[in-house]
Amino acid sequence: MSRLVIVSNRVQPPIGEGGSGGQGGLAVALSAALRESSGIWFGWSGETTEQFTGHINLQRNFGVTTATIDLEEQDVDEYYNGYANRTLWPLFHYRMDLAEFESGFAEGYERVNQRFAETLEPLIEADDLVWVHDYHMFPLGQYLRDRGIANRIGFFLHIPWPPYRLLLSLPNHRQLAETLFAYDVVGFQTRDSLDSFRDYVIQEMGGSFGEDGRIIVGDRSIIAIHCPIGIDTDNFVEATRSTAARHAHHRMRESANGREMIIGVDRLDYSKGLQERFLGYERLLQQNEKIHGEVFLLQIAPPSRSDVQSYQEIRASLDSLSGRINGAYADVEWVPIRYVNRGYPRDRLAGIYRAARIGLVTPLRDGMNLVAKEYVAAQDPEDPGVLILSRFAGAAEQLTEALLINPYSAEEIADAIEQALAMPLEERQARWRACMDNVEKEDVMWWRRRFTAALEAVTQSAA
């Protein structure tokens, strides 16, 4: 087996052999792959330095080697807070109105990717497979090629790829797309994103398709696949049996006091449809007085990217909305929305998910949304809850037996909640079983094996 070199914006060192603890499923899967291949995980340390030196901090924890570098404050402002999160993130999530096109952002993005390539190059050995992750590093493969790296290199995009005409609004969009042809395999979460990428290549770059499914532009060709990421299902199911999960489940049921709980768990981000979710829930309260005092929404929304203005604005909006709704409908014994701005460990979340009759996952656009899969995995097979899922989450392509809704429609959200609350046990079990079959089959290990197998099968690099 070739050694695997994984590159991502941030690195999450493993915290225990074979266990996940507070790690996410992605970190667990990548750590397992790195242990199998004696590989390296390379990325930004999350720390800043006065002057970039290229110093690499190498550590080995539980069989995994991590290699991290510090960036300058200007790098973080322009590359991370700027181009990645104020230009690419909103645009790729269909929020062109929020995208900021500053030349300094783009320059910082290119500079940092050049620095990644410069410091990574000496660590790459002849037969290594290099796997680059996400929108922070579109051009890294090209910069590695420019430095003579001829290894097989793959790229996986965790967020959506936007439609052709939307991408045209990005300055230097053609340059960004061309950098993907430095890779050998490019992976997308959904068929929809893959189709959008193909459409762009055909319409804007004059590309064509080869007999083997390759996408060809000029003298370059790549293999592009849809490869939906999953969760560490076995580990998450096991987490529901932990002491922490059982305690959280008991406390939530006790706190509910006989009421049905609706759960939402999302990073505080405008792509998650939180304002629309609150308005849909308000619509439910308006149209159905019988459920007053019988149901409540628990929204867990840990803050993120607090330095970015648009994130400050959504937090203020949600504070206002939740206060208004609670002010209009609460009484001395019942509050319709419990809104919490903090995160919880995965084992506690597993217990909270299990206590909820409804999982409400309503992003306006999402590459995948693993909360939907975690909610399914946490359920009691004998008495499962109901997943309400946005049609615009990547997970909707797989979890087709969830109640699929348009998150922009308050009426659809309200009607779906009513349907879920009234759903007979037999239907809940059937819908859950269909969703769980997919969550078990196409888990995070399946995702990792599918992508690396495609990369290993490449016989000639794109170099």
Side-chain angles (χ1 to χ4, degrees):
M1 179 181 181
S2 299
R3 193 178 72 148
L4 186 63
V5 177
I6 289 172
V7 189
S8 61
N9 174 58
R10 294 294 298 274
V11 175
Q12 186 175 356
I15 58 176
E17 182 76 36
S20 65
Q23 285 185 294
L26 175 61
V28 171
L30 296 182
S31 295
L34 291 167
R35 274 192 289 268
E36 290 172 9
S37 70
S38 300
I40 295 176
W41 194 344
F42 177 90
W44 174 38
S45 65
E47 302 296 327
T48 58
T49 181
E50 286 190 10
Q51 183 172 3
F52 179 78
T53 63
H55 172 73
I56 301 172
N57 180 23
L58 285 167
Q59 295 187 2
R60 188 164 178 82
N61 297 291
F62 302 101
V64 175
T65 299
T66 59
T68 58
I69 59 173
D70 299 341
L71 296 175
E72 297 174 11
E73 286 282 359
Q74 184 179 358
D75 292 336
V76 176
D77 288 342
E78 294 175 351
Y79 148 77
Y80 182 72
N81 289 330
Y83 198 75
N85 290 319
R86 291 161 68 179
T87 301
L88 294 180
W89 177 272
L91 181 61
F92 278 56
H93 286 86
Y94 297 36
R95 290 302 304 270
M96 193 170 68
D97 59 311
L98 296 178
E100 300 178 34
F101 304 115
E102 299 284 345
S103 60
F105 292 171
E107 291 167 4
Y109 183 78
E110 292 179 9
R111 181 180 65 251
V112 170
N113 272 272
Q114 289 275 19
R115 287 177 168 177
F116 272 118
E118 174 188 345
T119 50
L120 177 60
E121 178 195 352
L123 301 179
I124 299 175
E125 298 176 359
D127 294 327
D128 288 348
L129 297 177
V130 182
W131 189 5
V132 179
H133 286 265
D134 225 1
Y135 62 103
H136 310 85
M137 299 187 182
F138 278 115
L140 181 61
Q142 183 60 61
Y143 295 151
L144 289 172
R145 298 296 188 206
D146 292 344
R147 303 184 74 85
I149 298 298
N151 299 59
R152 288 168 290 182
I153 309 178
F155 177 86
F156 186 82
L157 182 64
H158 291 260
I159 66 174
W161 181 271
Y164 161 55
R165 294 200 176 278
L166 188 60
L167 186 57
L168 294 181
S169 65
L170 178 68
N172 300 319
H173 55 85
R174 173 72 178 262
Q175 178 183 339
L176 181 142
E178 285 176 345
T179 64
L180 288 179
F181 282 80
Y183 297 99
D184 297 292
V185 178
V186 176
F188 299 91
Q189 295 274 28
T190 64
R191 292 183 182 88
D192 180 66
S193 285
L194 176 57
D195 288 344
S196 293
F197 174 70
R198 286 173 167 169
D199 185 42
Y200 177 89
V201 171
I202 298 301
Q203 299 289 336
E204 187 68 18
M205 302 175 71
S208 61
F209 299 129
E211 292 182 0
D212 58 355
R214 283 181 171 270
I215 302 177
I216 304 165
V217 173
D219 60 355
R220 289 187 171 187
S221 69
I222 58 171
I223 295 170
I225 62 174
H226 98 276
C227 185
I229 194 171
I231 64 170
D232 186 355
T233 307
D234 291 343
N235 181 278
F236 201 82
V237 171
E238 186 63 30
T240 65
R241 306 186 184 107
S242 68
T243 300
R246 291 198 304 269
H247 181 67
H249 178 266
H250 174 73
R251 289 290 300 273
M252 288 310 307
R253 295 302 293 264
E254 191 175 61
S255 171
N257 195 25
R259 301 181 177 97
E260 299 288 10
M261 182 171 75
I262 305 166
I263 183 71
V265 179
D266 308 83
R267 185 168 52 81
L268 194 60
D269 187 284
Y270 49 78
S271 69
K272 301 301 182 182
L274 298 179
Q275 292 148 299
E276 290 78 6
R277 184 179 308 171
F278 281 13
L279 292 172
Y281 181 62
E282 181 182 38
R283 176 69 171 263
L284 173 72
L285 298 176
Q286 290 170 346
Q287 70 186 28
N288 190 344
E289 292 187 7
K290 292 181 180 179
I291 69 166
H292 291 191
E294 302 298 320
V295 65
F296 68 95
L297 169 62
L298 171 61
Q299 178 61 57
I300 297 173
S304 68
R305 301 170 187 164
S306 55
D307 292 339
V308 179
Q309 178 65 28
S310 56
Y311 289 83
Q312 298 169 5
E313 291 172 358
I314 188 171
R315 181 165 187 172
S317 174
L318 291 172
D319 287 346
S320 175
L321 267 176
S322 59
R324 190 192 79 200
I325 294 168
N326 283 337
Y329 294 98
D331 60 34
V332 294
E333 297 179 348
W334 170 66
V335 177
I337 298 180
R338 302 182 188 179
Y339 175 46
V340 182
N341 283 132
R342 55 170 291 188
Y344 291 88
R346 291 174 72 244
D347 50 2
R348 287 189 65 186
L349 277 178
I352 296 171
Y353 288 140
R354 198 177 181 92
R357 173 49 58 92
I358 297 171
L360 194 54
V361 182
T362 60
L364 305 181
R365 179 60 59 176
D366 218 335
M368 179 49 59
N369 197 294
L370 296 181
V371 166
K373 297 184 177 185
E374 289 179 345
Y375 177 78
V376 170
Q379 295 309 296
D380 176 0
E382 300 303 316
D383 186 23
V386 179
L387 174 63
I388 298 175
L389 180 61
S390 164
R391 294 181 182 277
F392 305 128
E397 282 193 4
Q398 296 169 287
L399 306 181
T400 56
E401 290 303 308
L403 294 183
L404 301 180
I405 55 98
N406 171 10
Y408 293 93
S409 169
E411 185 175 7
E412 280 198 30
I413 294 173
D415 290 348
I417 294 173
E418 283 194 308
Q419 182 182 349
L421 290 171
M423 189 177 292
L425 175 61
E426 185 176 350
E427 183 181 353
R428 285 192 280 120
Q429 290 173 330
R431 286 179 178 273
W432 172 81
R433 184 68 263 172
C435 290
M436 188 62 174
D437 284 346
N438 178 269
V439 172
E440 290 177 323
K441 178 183 177 183
E442 297 181 356
D443 65 0
V444 72
M445 302 302 180
W446 171 89
W447 164 80
R448 186 255 295 175
R449 288 192 295 266
R450 174 171 161 80
F451 189 92
T452 55
L455 190 57
E456 287 178 323
V458 173
T459 56
Q460 185 175 1
S461 168

